[in-house]
Amino acid sequence: MLDSALSIFRTGRNLARLMEGLGITLQISAAAVGLSLLLGIPAGLLMAGRRPLIPKLLRLYLEIIRVMPILVLLFLFYYSLSRFLNINLSAMTVSVLVFTLWGTAEMSDLVRGAVSSLPRHQWESGRALGLNEMQVSLYVVFPQIVRRLLPGIINLTTRMIKTTPFVFFINLPDLLKVGQQIVEVSGIRNPLSSVWVYGFIFAVYFAICYPISLLSRYLELRWQS
Amino acid sequence: MVNSQEILKIKDLEKSFDGVPVLNRLTLTVKRGEVLVVIGPSGCGKSTLLRCLNGLEPVNGGQIVFEGQILTSFQTSWSRVRQRIGMVFQNYELFPHFNVLENILLGPVRVQGRKKSEALEKAEFWLNRVGLWDRRESFPRQLSGGQKQRVAIVRALAMDPEIMLFDEVTASLDPEMVREVLDVILNLAKEGLTMIIVTHEMAFARAVADRIIFIDQGVIVEDSPPETFFENPATDRARRFLNIFQFDGVQRGSRGTGPKTVPVRL
Ligand SMILES: Nc1ncnc2c1ncn2[C@@H]1O[C@H](COP(=O)(O)OP(=O)(O)O)[C@@H](O)[C@H]1O
Ligand SMILES: [Mg+2]
């Protein structure tokens, strides 16, 4: 039994390919989370602000992205855009782009929520103490926002990691795609190969996402007020 | 004890929200060491007045002069002015992510750039005075409302303000905690700190005030010593307002027919 399992991973470059697939999954997630933070934080601050037009536009963007299946966005950018505009984006670029579009929308909403849930008198008591706007942001607002934001950011990160297998449909060999290819090839000789390979992938996703989710719960408990 | 030097001069102060006037050419002078108690019906502009004094609300007209400096000028650096004007609000507004000591030291150390040891000494002095030195490591969520307000007062005092503004600091407290906070303010008054206090605690107002300022609809209707104000208010409006706090003459079940109809059991 165990031999049959090990033989699959030992055959050819199977294990290395699975690791490469995992690398793609992690690259997309990391790049998309990083870019979403970079773009989502300013967007969220703008949404929480009092300027009338920008929050409405960002809200519209958020709603559109939210109702749109990720797969539709991937197809749109990968297949349609290249035909229509004659731009050829690599599957990797499209993946990061689409996940960033989604992540930025979600992130900006998280930031907006965190900022507007902070009571107005927190700003005021900072000012009343003689803190200037910079100092109010640095010492009063920012630390509290980060605490409110972190569980949401972590949750979004795990959701992104869990959604990466969709890139499979634009032929990007992520962890799941590689697994499927291996099963297709070795399934003829080894009927249990799907159990071993998908079991392995299950374990990998669990090993990545579960600690992140634990961290989120730990921080939430620690910062509860 | 009242030094005749003027610390704060407010002249024809005007403030409106969305075109609705809240303060109507309000004029008031505060001398060094004076304790002013501001009272008046809800919505008459008491909080707005205090908030204008430290620039939390921009004014629409008139002049505020603090220690000879005109504050109602576009050049005013409010963050500097606010270091000299302490303010405590109704709602507990401690910073929840800092403990008691960090709340208190933030201003003196980060804003005023004082030495930490010196600021700590002062914090210890004041925390001892309000009986909270052993709670210095506690976080705001671990304190009662009364304790939080005492810390908020210490946080303002730690900046060495020249004047303190109190906006209904006991209004959200349970009755048994009101006293501990008012006692702290009473002691500050005894030491000659200049204060403007907005409160609905009439007995406290009477005990602490050098002058009572009664505001109605954005203007000062009465400005008199507490004895005069409470025993002999000059205006009808003040008398009606004070009646809210009186229960004499209101009898259970009497329904205006007088106490004689109440059956007396022997
Ligand atoms: N930020 C604001 N925007 C609009 N109206 C306000 C604002 N702050 C206060 N007001 C109005 O100004 C009036 C005076 O308010 P306030 O100074 O808080 O009264 P008080 O403290 O005497 O109860 C009230 O009618 C209130 O509704
Ligand atoms: Mg008020």
Side-chain angles (χ1 to χ4, degrees):
Chain A
M1 277 279 274
L2 204 63
D3 276 356
S4 82
L6 288 175
S7 74
I8 296 171
F9 296 108
R10 285 214 196 96
T11 309
R13 292 186 62 249
N14 277 358
L15 188 61
R17 283 174 60 214
L18 280 170
M19 287 301 129
E20 282 161 19
L22 176 62
I24 285 175
T25 298
L26 292 180
Q27 269 174 46
I28 295 171
S29 312
V33 169
L35 287 171
S36 302
L37 277 171
L38 217 63
L39 299 169
I41 289 175
L45 293 176
L46 283 174
M47 274 169 95
R50 290 200 199 121
R51 262 173 271 260
L53 188 60
I54 298 168
K56 284 215 181 81
L57 290 176
L58 286 169
R59 185 90 234 160
L60 183 68
Y61 167 71
L62 172 66
E63 296 300 339
I64 290 173
I65 292 288
R66 270 204 180 145
V67 297
M68 200 61 63
I70 291 291
L71 206 49
V72 173
L73 291 173
L74 284 171
F75 281 6
L76 197 69
F77 280 90
Y78 191 64
Y79 297 113
S80 315
L81 205 65
S82 56
R83 295 271 162 76
F84 194 67
L85 295 176
N86 239 342
I87 310 172
N88 254 319
L89 297 175
S90 73
M92 188 68 182
T93 311
V94 168
S95 303
V96 172
L97 179 70
V98 166
F99 277 82
T100 301
L101 286 177
W102 171 41
T104 301
E106 296 287 347
M107 196 69 76
S108 65
D109 199 39
L110 287 173
V111 172
R112 184 202 53 76
V115 172
S116 33
S117 71
L118 196 65
R120 196 177 63 124
H121 62 66
Q122 284 291 310
W123 270 273
E124 292 200 333
S125 48
R127 285 190 201 119
L129 267 183
L131 275 66
N132 60 34
E133 296 305 305
M134 259 302 277
Q135 291 167 325
V136 171
S137 306
L138 190 63
Y139 298 120
V140 179
V141 178
F142 206 65
Q144 295 191 61
I145 303 272
V146 169
R147 282 164 164 75
R148 281 158 199 249
L149 212 48
L150 229 99
I153 292 179
I154 288 172
N155 180 280
L156 181 61
T157 305
T158 54
R159 273 164 60 214
M160 281 201 174
I161 294 172
K162 284 192 300 189
T163 315
T164 45
F166 276 131
V167 302
F168 169 125
F169 290 100
I170 55 171
N171 301 325
L172 200 57
D174 78 313
L175 183 59
L176 190 64
K177 180 78 184 175
V178 173
Q180 194 203 26
Q181 287 165 348
I182 292 172
V183 170
E184 272 169 11
V185 172
S186 56
I188 308 156
R189 274 173 297 118
N190 191 339
L192 277 181
S193 71
S194 71
V195 175
W196 301 127
V197 172
Y198 293 134
F200 174 77
I201 291 173
F202 174 91
V204 168
Y205 272 108
F206 183 80
I208 296 170
C209 291
Y210 188 60
I212 298 179
S213 147
L214 277 184
L215 176 69
S216 155
R217 208 167 319 150
Y218 167 76
L219 290 175
E220 243 171 298
L221 277 179
R222 227 190 100 177
W223 287 338
Q224 218 163 47
S225 55
Chain B
M1 210 168 67
V2 173
N3 180 327
S4 71
Q5 210 187 330
E6 288 164 355
I7 185 170
L8 188 66
K9 268 181 90 113
I10 303 161
K11 198 161 170 288
D12 293 331
L13 190 67
E14 286 180 285
K15 171 70 190 174
S16 47
F17 288 108
D18 312 315
V20 182
V22 172
L23 299 179
N24 266 318
R25 302 176 67 88
L26 188 138
T27 297
L28 178 68
T29 301
V30 185
K31 293 180 195 143
R32 199 179 304 283
E34 241 184 344
V35 177
L36 257 61
V37 170
V38 178
I39 60 183
S42 177
C44 72
K46 305 179 296 292
S47 301
T48 305
L49 171 62
L50 294 194
R51 293 164 56 81
C52 287
L53 295 184
N54 72 353
L56 288 178
E57 294 290 352
V59 305
N60 299 111
Q63 203 178 45
I64 302 170
V65 183
F66 173 60
E67 297 274 33
Q69 183 193 349
I70 298 170
L71 300 185
T72 37
S73 138
F74 64 93
Q75 292 173 323
T76 302
S77 159
W78 279 108
S79 59
R80 274 167 195 274
V81 174
R82 289 175 190 140
Q83 294 173 34
R84 301 161 62 197
I85 301 180
M87 180 156 182
V88 184
F89 304 81
Q90 168 181 342
N91 296 311
Y92 330 120
E93 30 42 305
L94 297 177
F95 305 128
H97 57 299
F98 287 153
N99 69 23
V100 167
L101 211 50
E102 289 163 341
N103 263 282
I104 296 168
L105 293 181
L106 179 67
V109 176
R110 298 284 176 197
V111 178
Q112 293 180 322
R114 297 195 200 181
K115 268 206 242 113
K116 180 139 189 224
S117 57
E118 183 199 325
L120 195 62
E121 225 169 275
K122 175 151 273 148
E124 180 175 0
F125 169 81
W126 283 116
L127 278 176
N128 271 321
R129 282 269 310 262
V130 303
L132 289 173
W133 176 241
D134 14 321
R135 304 305 304 272
R136 63 190 174 278
E137 308 271 335
S138 302
F139 281 85
R141 62 173 179 275
Q142 299 166 315
L143 302 178
S144 72
Q147 290 171 326
K148 279 189 269 197
Q149 280 302 44
R150 282 182 281 158
V151 173
I153 294 172
V154 169
R155 184 174 68 176
L157 289 171
M159 305 281 286
D160 279 329
E162 289 150 64
I163 184 169
M164 282 284 285
L165 312 175
F166 292 94
D167 191 3
E168 298 197 38
V169 292
T170 58
S172 327
L173 296 181
D174 291 335
E176 71 270 22
M177 288 169 189
V178 169
R179 186 63 196 242
E180 65 191 42
V181 174
L182 295 184
D183 278 339
V184 170
I185 302 175
L186 266 170
N187 279 322
L188 294 173
K190 277 187 205 145
E191 284 165 27
L193 184 65
T194 313
M195 298 192 278
I196 304 180
I197 303 168
V198 173
T199 184
H200 282 300
E201 302 283 338
M202 290 304 141
F204 167 69
R206 189 166 181 167
V208 79
D210 291 317
R211 272 160 72 196
I212 301 278
I213 309 293
F214 178 68
I215 298 184
D216 195 11
Q217 295 178 346
V219 289
I220 296 179
V221 180
E222 290 206 32
D223 177 350
S224 42
E227 299 75 31
T228 317
F229 179 79
F230 285 108
E231 272 156 35
N232 220 342
T235 60
D236 251 5
R237 276 195 271 184
R239 212 165 296 137
R240 256 179 285 143
F241 179 74
L242 286 173
N243 271 337
I244 301 167
F245 299 91
Q246 299 284 330
F247 290 93
D248 321 341
V250 183
Q251 292 263 336
R252 273 183 71 208
S254 64
R255 294 196 173 239
T257 41
K260 273 175 195 157
T261 59
V262 179
V264 180
R265 241 181 245 156
L266 291 173

